[in-house]
């Protein structure tokens, strides 16, 4: 482990040490030199980590099989860390930024400032898809990159609209690349990995866990200046993502839906609370383009 970048990736790959703990270590030891300068006992004393966990961390990081696995990751994927110049600038501005990102596809898309996060229910109504097509297609054709989470429903349709209309799209996963979830549309995933970009802060061998999805939603909202909500129930992951977008200082747009529909309630609430109501693409475009015909 001959650089702080490699040390960070190694630490991040261990399930027994949290992102918050790593961030704390970076505050006290920005170079992560403790791995070479301290014993496991000293490290445990410094951090408050139990001694048996400290020994486990050291053993894992020196395990040839672990290093072989990391070498395989380096060959197969683009890996960006907090230390890298190419780390997405949008992520540097959010309260809980990722420290390591695994990427399939084109990392240069992460510097696209003209992006729009699109979120909504996994079980959309028949109203949602034609409304999305009408609003998003002109934005895509004007160069907007669509950011979403590859989930059933609104997410996958947003990605598909970008792909089919010659645009660009980014998916943020709640699992590692060796455990694509959901797996119902692997052809879409392959198209995105080949021609667009797929991102995960989870190591490739990490399967999906329930808490990953609300956690990754902060990255969906964080990757773009604005979040567009299509349909959402009041108590839903979509509404949690909106809270994260607002905490991050992002703009929020909402599509009104049919009165009385449960998936309209979230959007109507957001509009009442000050989100911009979207009737047509121009409601978003007028805020985004200096020149838009």
């Amino acid at each position: 482990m001959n650089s702080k970048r490699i040390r960070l990736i190694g630490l991040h790959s261990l399930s027994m040490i949290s992102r918050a703990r790593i961030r704390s270590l970076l505050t006290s030891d920005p170079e992560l030199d403790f791995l070479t300068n301290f014993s496991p006992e000293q490290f445990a004393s410094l951090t408050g980590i139990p001694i048996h966990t400290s020994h486990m961390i050291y053993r894992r990081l020196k395990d040839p099989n672990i290093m072989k696995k990391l070498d395989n990751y380096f060959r197969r994927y683009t890996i960006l860390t907090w230390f890298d110049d190419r780390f997405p600038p949008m992520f540097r501005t959010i309260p809980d930024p990722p420290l390591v990102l695994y990427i399939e596809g084109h990392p240069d898309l992460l510097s696209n400032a003209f992006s729009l996060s699109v979120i909504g229910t996994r079980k959309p109504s028949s109203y949602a898809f034609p409304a999305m097509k009408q609003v998003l297609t002109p934005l895509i054709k004007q160069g907007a990159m669509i950011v979403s989470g590859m989930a059933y429903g609104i997410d996958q349709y947003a990605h598909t609209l970008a792909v089919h209309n010659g645009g660009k799209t980014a998916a943020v996963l709640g699992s590692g690349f060796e455990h694509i979830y959901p797996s119902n549309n692997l052809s879409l995933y392959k198209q995105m990995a080949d021609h667009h970009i797929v991102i995960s802060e989870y190591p490739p061998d990490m399967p999906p866990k329930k808490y990953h999805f609300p956690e990754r939603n902060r990255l969906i909202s964080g990757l773009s200046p604005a979040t567009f909500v299509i349909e959402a129930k009041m108590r839903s992951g979509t509404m949690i993502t909106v809270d994260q977008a607002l905490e991050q200082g992002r703009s929020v747009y909402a599509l009104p839906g049919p009165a009385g529909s449960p998936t309209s309630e979230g959007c109507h609430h957001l509009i009442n609370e000050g989100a911009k109501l979207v009737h047509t693409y121009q409601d978003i475009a007028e805020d985004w383009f200096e020149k838009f015909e």
Side-chain angles (χ1 to χ4, degrees):
M1 306 189 78
N2 56 4
S3 75
K4 63 181 180 181
R5 182 177 186 274
I6 302 301
R7 289 193 284 269
L8 176 57
I9 294 169
L11 275 176
H12 181 267
S13 72
L14 303 180
S15 60
M16 76 280 292
I17 186 164
S18 68
R19 185 173 64 254
R21 178 71 73 179
I22 296 174
R23 187 171 289 113
S24 176
L25 289 171
L26 287 170
T27 300
S28 60
D29 182 7
E31 301 295 314
L32 298 177
D33 284 332
F34 73 87
L35 289 170
T36 53
N37 293 344
F38 296 127
S39 67
E41 290 77 12
Q42 290 172 316
F43 175 58
S45 177
L46 174 72
T47 62
I49 289 176
I51 186 65
H52 70 277
T53 303
S54 178
H55 276 282
M56 188 181 301
I57 289 170
Y58 275 70
R59 284 197 303 272
R60 293 289 300 275
L61 291 176
K62 296 178 185 298
D63 185 337
N65 291 324
I66 297 295
M67 295 313 301
K68 184 177 180 180
K69 180 171 70 173
L70 292 181
D71 286 341
N72 183 51
Y73 293 166
F74 290 132
R75 287 193 300 270
R76 294 183 61 188
Y77 310 111
T78 298
I79 305 177
L80 297 181
T81 76
W82 180 257
F83 299 130
D84 298 326
D85 292 338
R86 291 196 299 164
F87 190 83
M90 294 294 290
F91 283 158
R92 294 192 186 275
T93 68
I94 66 176
D96 182 16
L99 299 174
V100 177
L101 294 172
Y102 297 87
I103 295 168
E104 286 201 288
H106 299 273
D108 56 300
L109 291 177
L110 292 173
S111 61
N112 185 353
F114 180 29
S115 58
L116 178 67
S117 298
V118 179
I119 60 174
T121 179
R122 288 171 169 79
K123 297 180 179 179
S125 70
S126 59
Y127 164 81
F129 291 163
M132 288 176 67
K133 184 176 182 178
Q134 184 177 26
V135 173
L136 292 179
T137 300
L139 299 175
I140 292 165
K141 290 184 176 180
Q142 289 293 327
M145 181 175 75
I146 301 301
V147 179
S148 199
M150 197 63 193
Y152 296 110
I154 297 298
D155 288 21
Q156 290 189 7
Y157 193 69
H159 294 308
T160 299
L161 277 174
V163 170
H164 288 177
N165 285 282
K168 291 299 179 183
T169 184
V172 185
L173 301 187
S175 62
F177 294 141
E178 295 172 6
H179 300 273
I180 302 303
Y181 181 86
S183 59
N184 68 305
N185 199 340
L186 293 179
S187 63
L188 175 61
Y189 175 86
K190 187 175 188 311
Q191 282 182 292
M192 295 184 66
D194 289 344
H195 304 293
H196 303 269
I197 186 170
V198 184
I199 309 157
S200 178
E201 69 175 328
Y202 304 106
D205 63 347
M206 176 69 72
K209 299 181 183 299
K210 188 174 182 179
Y211 69 87
H212 286 175
F213 297 95
E215 188 176 61
R216 70 87 191 264
N217 287 352
R218 80 192 195 287
L219 304 186
I220 295 175
S221 59
L223 192 55
S224 65
T227 293
F228 179 30
V229 187
I230 308 299
E231 287 188 328
K233 294 182 179 180
M234 281 298 296
R235 294 173 59 86
S236 63
T238 298
M239 298 298 281
I240 293 172
T241 308
V242 171
D243 289 340
Q244 293 169 326
L246 293 171
E247 182 184 11
Q248 295 163 349
R250 304 324 194 213
S251 300
V252 176
Y253 299 90
L255 183 77
S261 169
T263 55
S264 298
E265 292 175 356
C267 288
H268 293 172
H269 171 76
L270 293 173
I271 292 166
N272 286 338
E273 292 294 308
K276 185 169 182 179
L277 184 153
V278 174
H279 279 302
T280 73
Y281 73 94
Q282 291 168 324
D283 295 311
I284 297 176
E286 65 186 14
D287 293 342
W288 281 60
F289 299 113
E290 294 181 1
K291 296 181 180 179
F292 192 86
E293 297 181 359

